[in-house]
Amino acid sequence: MVEPESIENDIPKMAVITGGGRGIGRAITERLVAHGWHCLIAGLDREDLEKTAGGAGGKVATLECDVSTEAGMNALTAMADRQDEELKLLVNCAARSTPMPLFEQDEQVWRAELATNVTAISMLTGWAISKMRHSGGGSIVNIGSVYGRLGLNSRFYNQDRFPQDEDEGPVRAVAYHASKGAVAALTRDLAIAAGKWHVRVNTVCPGMICIPERPIEPERKLQFREWTPLQRLGRPEDVAAAVEFLASEDSSFITGAELVVDGGWSIW
């Protein structure tokens, strides 16, 4: 006899993933498809999205859109509403970061980063909760960062990326750090709001992840290994595994949490 739980697990589940075309978003899509999810992935580049869909196999729908805009969010939610499966997972992975001199900050850049990194997460999470509350619950996973909890030490990076200038000020990623701190606070508040509908909201905070699209110089890789208790850099697949765990019933009593995936880099 097949147990009822086994029957339920055979029912296709739909996941919506923003920023699904590259890096961590691609790894998350591949991991979820391998575990039986049907995925709708959104991103800015159609070719990247199609590459992810082709590599993942399974059922992956794609949508080229900018979730930092109202039109982009509306397009994504409308396409999700047209899918056959019920929404059971939202992964907010899309993000922007534009380091710039401290005294030369651009308000438009600031607003654009927060629109992607905070506003889109809040709006899409609200939409997902409203859907999931009528279907027995679900999971929302926000991709944060250890830099939502820590300040950036520029000596860890190539000084060409974070140069120091007396007139313009040191180059920093102020908007990115502020936005990732906001993601953690947003996650906690929305987890409280959604709990009564069995909707869980959590954050995964990656640390030093080596992404193919952003190669790291060999000497910098060696330094990161030395500064990490587990003696290696992270892989996108490490973050994907954490997301899949938080999407599964194995984490059914976890909500409002920050799961740090950094090999211990931030503990010393």
Side-chain angles (χ1 to χ4, degrees):
M1 177 180 291
V2 179
E3 296 294 330
E5 184 178 356
S6 299
I7 295 174
E8 182 180 348
N9 287 341
D10 288 339
I11 299 173
K13 305 160 289 186
M14 183 176 74
V16 171
I17 305 154
T18 68
R22 312 175 73 189
I24 291 173
R26 176 173 292 167
I28 291 170
T29 302
E30 292 173 347
R31 175 91 181 193
L32 292 174
V33 168
H35 283 76
W37 288 85
H38 291 180
C39 296
L40 167 58
I41 61 174
L44 297 173
D45 189 288
R46 182 179 300 279
E47 289 186 7
D48 285 340
L49 293 168
E50 291 177 351
K51 185 175 181 180
T52 296
K59 183 176 179 181
V60 181
T62 65
L63 177 66
E64 182 184 4
C65 70
D66 183 352
V67 295
S68 72
T69 67
E70 184 177 4
M73 285 188 283
N74 288 342
L76 179 58
T77 57
M79 187 169 180
D81 288 341
R82 293 195 298 270
Q83 304 304 302
D84 295 332
E85 303 83 15
E86 287 184 326
L87 177 69
K88 287 296 182 181
L89 173 63
L90 169 66
V91 182
N92 288 304
C93 187
R96 291 180 180 174
S97 177
T98 310
M100 58 185 6
L102 183 62
F103 306 144
E104 302 293 331
Q105 291 189 75
D106 185 301
E107 185 177 351
Q108 287 186 324
V109 173
W110 170 276
R111 291 181 181 276
E113 286 198 30
L114 266 66
T116 300
N117 300 0
V118 181
T119 304
I121 289 178
S122 181
M123 297 297 104
L124 290 173
T125 298
W127 160 78
I129 293 171
S130 71
K131 299 274 291 181
M132 293 174 180
R133 66 176 177 159
H134 297 302
S135 60
S139 178
I140 296 160
V141 182
N142 300 320
I143 304 301
S145 170
V146 291
Y147 284 135
R149 309 166 71 243
L150 305 171
L152 182 144
N153 188 334
S154 60
R155 73 185 179 90
F156 292 158
Y157 298 89
N158 189 318
Q159 290 306 302
D160 290 341
R161 186 179 182 194
F162 293 100
Q164 308 290 314
D165 187 285
E166 290 298 323
D167 294 327
E168 295 183 346
V171 170
R172 307 292 297 172
V174 176
Y176 181 80
H177 286 246
S179 69
K180 292 304 183 180
V183 167
L186 186 64
T187 294
R188 291 190 290 269
D189 197 63
L190 291 173
I192 296 169
K196 62 183 177 181
W197 295 305
H198 307 290
V199 178
R200 297 180 295 108
V201 188
N202 291 289
T203 299
V204 172
C205 297
M208 303 307 136
I209 307 297
C210 190
I211 296 172
E213 294 87 358
R214 295 202 304 269
I216 301 174
E217 304 93 328
E219 62 274 16
R220 198 65 56 184
K221 283 185 179 181
L222 179 60
Q223 288 178 324
F224 277 130
R225 291 191 188 104
E226 292 174 346
W227 293 327
T228 303
L230 290 183
Q231 295 290 292
R232 70 171 175 87
L233 275 79
R235 301 179 294 260
E237 292 78 12
D238 295 320
V239 182
V243 170
E244 194 272 326
F245 165 68
L246 291 173
S248 74
E249 284 302 307
D250 290 337
S251 62
S252 62
F253 202 53
I254 300 175
T255 196
E258 292 178 67
L259 178 52
V260 178
V261 182
D262 72 348
W265 181 83
S266 62
I267 63 176
W268 63 359

